[in-house]
């Protein structure tokens, strides 16, 4: 660590009242002194850490990789020129302790309506229709093999990488190596790093061209390496699963992923519905599912006015109200939760299904309108969740993310206390639940 704490010095300087030009010159002199001491120390610390990183690669990663059939040539090619990426989040350099941020936000669970902004929806739909025409034969073939509709594959492809048009900027071995060596989930990323080496060894992609997101997700479908090994598929018949450059391989891989996670052929993902006031929003969740015919008997109808398809009426459906009473409502099938296996966000799965419908059927926007809710700090939502837990509710963990268990717990608490159930957190609840 630096012999001078620059943060403490900065606080001291900021606490001093201004006393004219002399004080300003003195302040500049102190900052220059800080730089002279601190920057070399930081550089020395990073140099030492880089040496430790190279030692870890040799003593830990190479030993494991070799045992799993990775050659020395592949290993050396993968790490040629690779250094630690100090700009990645959640890093814990050797000899330091993790810092827990006090204020956190997450777009997936922020204001729900923002997730469905005009540009994202229209762009994914427009380009998706172009891709549907360009890859019609491949999409039809993969749908026949897996039972997954082409429009659903397109919805995921568009959300993950803009149909391959969004740049995937990072060197996978730099990202996974850095995070495996010094991150808050080092063991997890080390396993992913070994999997990435196995992918390179199998010849699917040159290791120097293995690009990933900042979190190590690979290629156009954004598979983590262990998912690649399980689900990546050769869609163009060249003997490789090149999810970076081959659109056919990307389509086939997404289809295989969903099939292996239980996609039920012949069923839809869900339907937008009208939920009458007599039906509690606290009935949300897959564990409270019933046949769609039973939901109909409660008075739930499709917003289109059309009846539910006959084969769907016999199957199980679940109530989904991602913004509680402040937004559109849906009856979703088990296939919706297969989409959530790809990304554990209700909004993500809803986006994919909605864009897919727009691509194939020309579906319009949701009839229900998103209310001006959300945008709360995760720490505030977590405080509400703890308050609900103290009252005996199962919120799925106080993680600051308002999933369906939190939403319905809010509804049940509101109903029990004589309030109108909205099933969504708002700032006014925090004080009441803190008691």
């Amino acid at each position: 660590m630096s012999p001078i704490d620059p943060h403490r010095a900065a606080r001291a300087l900021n606490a001093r009242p201004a006393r004219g030009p002399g004080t300003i010159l003195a302040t500049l002199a102190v900052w220059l002194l800080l730089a002279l001491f601190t920057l070399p120390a930081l550089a020395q610390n990073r140099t030492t850490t880089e040496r430790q990183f190279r030692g870890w690669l040799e003593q830990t990663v190479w030993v494991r990789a070799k045992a799993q059939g990775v050659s020395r040539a592949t290993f050396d090619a993968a790490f040629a020129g690779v250094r630690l990426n100090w700009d990645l989040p959640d890093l814990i350099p050797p000899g330091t302790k993790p810092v827990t941020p006090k204020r956190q936000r997450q777009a997936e669970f922020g204001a729900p309506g923002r997730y469905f902004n005009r540009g994202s929806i229209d762009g994914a739909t427009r380009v998706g229709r172009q891709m549907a025409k360009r890859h019609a034969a491949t999409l039809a073939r993969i749908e026949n093999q897996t039972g997954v509709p082409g429009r659903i594959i397109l919805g995921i492809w568009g959300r993950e990488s803009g149909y391959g048009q969004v740049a995937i900027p990072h060197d996978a071995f730099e990202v996974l190596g850095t995070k495996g060596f010094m991150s808050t989930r080092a063991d997890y990323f080390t396993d992913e790093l070994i999997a990435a080496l196995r992918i390179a060894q199998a010849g699917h992609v040159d290791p120097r061209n293995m690009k990933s997101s900042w979190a190590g997700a690979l290629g156009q479908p954004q598979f983590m390496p262990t998912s690649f090994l399980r689900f990546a598929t050769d869609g163009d018949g060249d003997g490789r699963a090149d999810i970076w450059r081959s659109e056919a391989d990307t389509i086939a891989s997404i289809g295989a992923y969903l099939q292996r996670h239980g996609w039920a052929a012949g069923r839809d993902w869900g339907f937008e519905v009208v939920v009458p006031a007599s039906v509690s929003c606290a009935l949300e969740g897959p564990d409270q599912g019933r046949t769609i015919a039973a939901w109909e008997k409660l008075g739930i109808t499709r917003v289109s006015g059309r009846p539910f398809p006959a084969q769907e009426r016999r199957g199980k459906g679940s109530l989904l109200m991602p913004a509680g009473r402040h937004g559109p409502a849906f009856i979703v099938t088990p296939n919706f939760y297969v989409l959530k296996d790809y990304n554990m966000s209700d909004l993500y799965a809803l986006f994919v299904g909605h864009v897919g419908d727009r691509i194939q059927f020309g579906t319009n926007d949701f009839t229900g309108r998103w209310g001006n809710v959300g945008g709360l700090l995760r720490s505030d939502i977590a405080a509400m969740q703890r308050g609900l837990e103290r009252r005996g509710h199962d919120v799925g963990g106080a993680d600051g993310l308002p999933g369906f268990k939190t939403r319905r717990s809010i509804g049940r608490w509101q109903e029990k206390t004589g309030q109108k159930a909205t099933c969504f957190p708002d700032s006014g609840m925090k004080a009441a639940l803190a008691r």
Side-chain angles (χ1 to χ4, degrees):
M1 295 182 67
S2 170
I4 295 179
D5 182 348
H7 302 291
R8 181 183 300 171
R11 288 193 295 270
L13 287 173
N14 290 335
R16 296 175 183 174
R19 297 181 182 274
T23 299
I24 295 174
L25 290 175
T27 299
L28 291 175
V30 172
W31 277 112
L32 179 60
L33 183 63
L34 283 173
L36 290 173
F37 277 96
T38 304
L39 294 179
L42 290 174
Q44 183 178 8
N45 287 344
R46 289 196 175 188
T47 299
T48 300
T49 303
E50 290 282 356
R51 285 199 300 267
Q52 293 172 330
F53 172 58
R54 302 310 302 190
W56 174 76
L57 288 177
E58 289 295 331
Q59 297 162 19
T60 299
V61 177
W62 165 239
V63 172
R64 287 186 56 183
K66 182 180 179 181
Q68 296 194 35
V70 176
S71 71
R72 185 70 204 195
T74 297
F75 182 85
D76 289 342
F79 293 106
V82 168
R83 297 174 62 85
L84 292 170
N85 185 337
W86 294 88
D87 295 327
L88 296 175
D90 304 321
L91 300 184
I92 311 174
T96 65
K97 295 181 179 180
V99 177
T100 302
K102 295 181 180 179
R103 298 167 70 85
Q104 296 176 303
R105 298 180 187 269
Q106 183 168 329
E108 302 283 0
F109 297 94
R114 295 177 188 170
Y115 201 86
F116 297 86
N117 66 80
R118 184 83 277 143
S120 295
I121 290 289
D122 287 351
T125 301
R126 182 182 66 257
V127 180
R129 288 171 180 163
Q130 297 170 4
M131 291 297 178
K133 294 179 180 178
R134 182 183 305 173
H135 300 289
T138 300
L139 288 163
R141 174 168 54 85
I142 298 305
E143 181 171 348
N144 185 59
Q145 292 173 357
T146 65
V148 180
R151 72 182 192 277
I152 297 297
I153 294 174
L154 289 169
I156 288 179
W157 188 13
R159 189 62 185 173
E160 292 296 337
S161 64
Y163 306 100
Q165 297 180 2
V166 175
I168 304 170
H170 295 286
D171 181 304
F173 291 102
E174 176 185 272
V175 168
L176 295 170
T178 299
K179 288 182 150 310
F181 177 62
M182 56 174 193
S183 80
T184 54
R185 301 174 66 196
D187 291 343
Y188 167 79
F189 284 106
T190 300
D191 290 342
E192 296 295 341
L193 177 60
I194 301 299
L197 287 166
R198 291 175 57 194
I199 293 168
Q201 180 64 38
H204 294 293
V205 63
D206 184 288
R208 293 290 87 234
N209 293 324
M210 190 182 291
K211 298 298 182 180
S212 78
S213 70
W214 63 267
L218 305 176
Q220 296 184 43
Q222 289 290 274
F223 283 173
M224 292 304 292
T226 51
S227 289
F228 180 104
L229 292 175
R230 295 178 61 194
F231 308 113
T233 303
D234 175 14
D236 56 20
D238 68 353
R240 297 181 300 159
D242 185 352
I243 60 173
W244 293 266
R245 294 173 296 184
S246 171
E247 294 173 328
D249 291 1
T250 296
I251 291 168
S253 297
I254 295 172
Y257 184 101
L258 296 177
Q259 178 192 36
R260 296 273 299 279
H261 280 79
W263 184 276
R267 295 207 68 186
D268 210 324
W269 65 268
F271 308 88
E272 188 183 1
V273 297
V274 177
V275 180
S278 58
V279 177
S280 172
C281 54
L283 292 175
E284 184 182 8
D287 54 346
Q288 299 188 104
R290 60 190 75 189
T291 65
I292 292 181
W295 288 114
E296 282 185 304
K297 289 182 179 179
L298 292 178
I300 290 179
T301 59
R302 295 178 67 181
V303 295
S304 66
R306 297 190 298 271
F308 291 97
Q311 74 275 13
E312 296 288 4
R313 295 184 72 252
R314 296 188 296 269
K316 181 180 177 181
S318 302
L319 182 62
L320 173 73
M321 301 181 75
R325 288 286 182 181
H326 303 294
F330 307 86
I331 293 294
V332 296
T333 76
N335 283 341
F336 179 85
Y337 296 97
V338 174
L339 294 178
K340 283 192 66 174
D341 285 332
Y342 210 101
N343 181 309
M344 287 302 295
S345 162
D346 289 331
L347 299 181
Y348 175 93
L350 190 58
F351 184 98
V352 165
H354 181 52
V355 166
D357 289 351
R358 290 171 69 97
I359 290 170
Q360 183 167 339
F361 306 124
T363 308
N364 294 320
D365 291 341
F366 296 135
T367 299
R369 293 290 175 255
W370 299 104
N372 186 25
V373 294
L376 295 172
L377 293 176
R378 284 181 59 175
S379 57
D380 290 336
I381 296 174
M384 298 179 208
Q385 289 171 324
R386 288 190 291 271
L388 289 165
E389 287 178 331
R390 288 194 297 272
R391 290 162 172 80
H393 295 280
D394 175 13
V395 298
D399 57 3
L401 305 176
F404 73 87
K405 288 186 176 181
T406 295
R407 296 193 295 264
R408 71 187 185 192
S409 293
I410 288 172
R412 290 167 180 170
W413 166 71
Q414 290 172 318
E415 290 172 346
K416 186 175 181 179
T417 54
Q419 305 175 64
K420 181 180 178 180
T422 62
C423 296
F424 202 78
D426 64 56
S427 58
M429 297 175 185
K430 183 179 177 182
L433 287 170
R435 295 197 295 267

